Amino acid sequence: MNHLFTLPTPCYVVDEGLIEKNLIILRGIMERTGARILLAQKAFSMYDLYPLIGEYLCGATASGLHEARLCAEEMAAPLALRGKSCENHIFSPAYREEDFREILKYSDHIVFNSWTQVKKFGERAKAAGKSIGLRVNPECSTQEGHAIYDPCAPGSRLGVTKKSFLRETELLPLLDGLHFHTLCEQDSDDLERTLDAVEEKFGEYLPGMKWINFGGGHHITREGYDIPRLERCIGKMQEKYGLTVYLEPGEAVALNAGFLVTEVLELQETDIMTGIAILDTSAACHMPDVLEMPYRPPLRDSGLPGEKAYTYRLGGPTCLAGDVIGDYSFDHPLTEGDRLVFEDMAIYSMVKNNTFNGMPLPAVVLREKNGACRILRQFGYEDFRQRLGSSRP
Ligand SMILES: *Cc1c(COP(=O)(O)O)cnc(C)c1O
């Protein structure tokens, strides 16, 4: 990875070979079970890799019109030229009237979040030949400590509970499928528990459906994930109810397949450890999940605080006191100009970054399978300016 030392910083480097490694695992599940796996674009939308992703998966899912269009133009269109099909699914808590016509142009599977939305848009979608689903909330929380990522938490706006579901069963004939999404970075034992809750609450309606969508949050490509149990879950829904099973992972597609390369701008003394390093990247701007989730991103050649001889607090150059990525230790003291490589930075990074403090956005780099690094995009002042006001030149 020596080119990492000549690339502009900060930059996201996505490794095509590592993406493909994940895709091979996902394709294996599809081949063994007949399930259909889609990319959840909200986690990873680096569309230069969409033709590759579409070669392995069945398509993509969108959170709204823009992602649906990105799938249509960057995944479905190039695949069509090769005679390959590509499914374009969409789910949103509420659709905008003015977007819906265009959504009908791009999406083939439309998932609604409430019976009110089904009433508002369902007939139109049906008339346009779309497959229609309703997101249900099985009210089965399987994650501790991450309420922000738990669609089953009390008061959730995501998905129809059994109680609301039963109020409008006369609309059932409009539905082709049910959708649930309740997991986040979880293993298949939690999926199994969730499926039991789905069956308990909505099981009697499943025989009338064509498909069921297990949502995302399946950490399938993580070392140690129990794939055979996932495949048993898929098989059960196929055999018991005759359903097509969809999975729409985001993370699992690009897990551990990207890096954020940054440079040390400045070193400060501190009483509590070796020092503080100010980097040219920011947690708040370039890896917001570090603060939001929160989590400690892996950093190449580093250890936990105190594990190696020199411990530094790594922070960004913004005004935010809490713009700290974490405390890391190294075998050697850091010096100005050193490059650091944060790992697992392909997912929920590029898609969530921002220019708070006028921070430049990291360049986007593709590391091709032959090892060559290609800079796909660099950002400058205009990219910062154009989001903030008039189009005056
Ligand atoms: C976030 C989300 C996904 C993808 O989740 P990952 O955790 O990235 O796998 C899939 N479906 C829906 C509805 C989502 O909201």
Side-chain angles (χ1 to χ4, degrees):
M1 276 269 204
N2 291 328
H3 355 264
L4 294 188
F5 296 88
T6 55
L7 291 168
T9 62
C11 68
Y12 301 111
V13 181
V14 173
D15 189 300
E16 188 179 15
L18 294 175
I19 295 278
E20 194 165 30
K21 196 174 136 197
N22 289 338
L23 293 171
I24 288 168
I25 294 171
L26 297 172
R27 184 178 62 183
I29 293 165
M30 293 196 288
E31 285 173 350
R32 285 187 298 273
T33 63
R36 302 182 70 75
I37 302 186
L38 312 164
L39 163 72
Q41 295 174 88
K42 73 161 198 237
F44 181 73
S45 304
M46 191 172 161
Y47 53 86
D48 291 84
L49 288 172
Y50 277 15
L52 175 77
I53 293 171
E55 210 43 69
Y56 282 88
L57 304 184
C58 293
T61 185
S63 322
L65 173 60
H66 288 174
E67 286 183 357
R69 179 172 169 183
L70 197 68
C71 170
E73 294 181 355
E74 305 292 343
M75 192 180 290
L79 285 171
L81 293 177
R82 289 186 239 155
K84 223 183 153 255
S85 65
C86 170
E87 293 188 29
N88 195 340
H89 293 227
I90 189 168
F91 163 78
S92 172
Y95 295 99
R96 299 161 64 97
E97 181 61 49
E98 60 267 43
D99 288 352
F100 205 72
R101 257 183 60 167
E102 240 185 306
I103 286 172
L104 288 179
K105 190 166 109 196
Y106 299 124
S107 306
D108 42 64
H109 287 64
I110 301 180
V111 177
F112 297 103
N113 191 47
S114 67
W115 284 125
T116 324
Q117 288 272 301
V118 173
K119 267 187 225 159
K120 192 166 169 189
F121 298 110
E123 294 284 0
R124 245 185 294 169
K126 213 67 212 174
K130 307 300 170 181
S131 198
I132 292 178
L134 180 66
R135 177 167 173 172
V136 295
N137 174 358
E139 298 175 272
C140 171
S141 288
T142 50
Q143 32 186 326
E144 292 92 44
H146 279 151
I148 188 178
Y149 295 112
D150 183 6
C152 295
S156 170
R157 73 186 186 295
L158 300 167
V160 176
T161 58
K162 183 172 186 187
K163 195 168 149 219
S164 322
F165 190 89
L166 292 177
R167 273 191 215 125
E168 308 267 5
T169 41
E170 74 279 2
L171 291 171
L172 266 171
L174 273 176
L175 299 186
D176 299 291
L178 293 184
H179 176 292
F180 65 88
H181 169 73
T182 68
L183 306 179
C184 177
E185 299 189 340
Q186 281 163 277
D187 211 315
S188 44
D189 51 344
D190 288 328
L191 170 65
E192 201 167 46
R193 266 175 62 200
T194 302
L195 264 185
D196 287 343
V198 169
E199 278 197 272
E200 185 201 315
K201 298 206 153 84
F202 305 99
E204 64 179 292
Y205 307 103
L206 289 174
M209 301 291 161
K210 295 193 181 75
W211 51 263
I212 185 165
N213 187 323
F214 290 2
H218 318 281
H219 233 192
I220 298 167
T221 49
R222 175 177 35 78
E223 190 74 22
Y225 179 94
D226 186 351
I227 291 179
R229 189 190 297 265
L230 167 67
E231 294 183 354
R232 288 196 298 276
C233 288
I234 293 168
K236 182 174 169 193
M237 300 314 275
Q238 292 169 326
E239 284 149 31
K240 198 161 163 188
Y241 303 103
L243 296 167
T244 297
V245 174
Y246 286 100
L247 302 178
E248 45 182 37
E251 282 219 25
V253 175
L255 189 67
N256 290 316
F259 310 90
L260 177 52
V261 185
T262 177
E263 201 165 283
V264 176
L265 295 178
E266 153 86 359
L267 291 155
Q268 295 179 344
E269 285 185 14
T270 173
D271 294 338
I272 55 171
M273 56 186 88
T274 316
I276 296 172
I278 299 182
L279 311 179
D280 65 0
T281 190
S282 152
C285 301
H286 304 153
M287 42 183 119
D289 271 6
V290 165
L291 304 180
E292 208 172 280
M293 191 145 185
Y295 80 103
R296 174 190 158 91
L299 175 64
R300 182 171 300 174
D301 299 327
S302 76
L304 291 168
E307 191 180 329
K308 294 171 180 271
Y310 304 94
T311 298
Y312 292 85
R313 177 155 297 171
L314 306 180
T318 68
C319 68
L320 178 71
D323 191 358
V324 169
I325 300 153
D327 298 344
Y328 295 82
S329 65
F330 302 87
D331 289 325
H332 308 284
L334 292 180
T335 52
E336 211 179 291
D338 278 353
R339 290 201 160 197
L340 302 177
V341 180
F342 287 99
E343 300 182 327
D344 196 19
M345 277 291 161
I347 42 176
Y348 294 106
S349 53
M350 270 183 260
V351 290
K352 289 187 96 173
N353 62 17
N354 63 76
T355 60
F356 182 47
N357 280 225
M359 278 290 289
L361 296 171
V364 177
V365 178
L366 177 65
R367 185 171 192 260
E368 294 172 340
K369 272 185 275 181
N370 62 18
C373 278
R374 198 149 55 87
I375 300 172
L376 301 179
R377 183 90 154 84
Q378 284 183 270
F379 302 92
Y381 171 69
E382 276 308 321
D383 298 290
F384 162 63
R385 179 180 177 273
Q386 52 95 17
R387 294 199 305 129
L388 298 170
S390 75
S391 55
R392 171 173 61 75

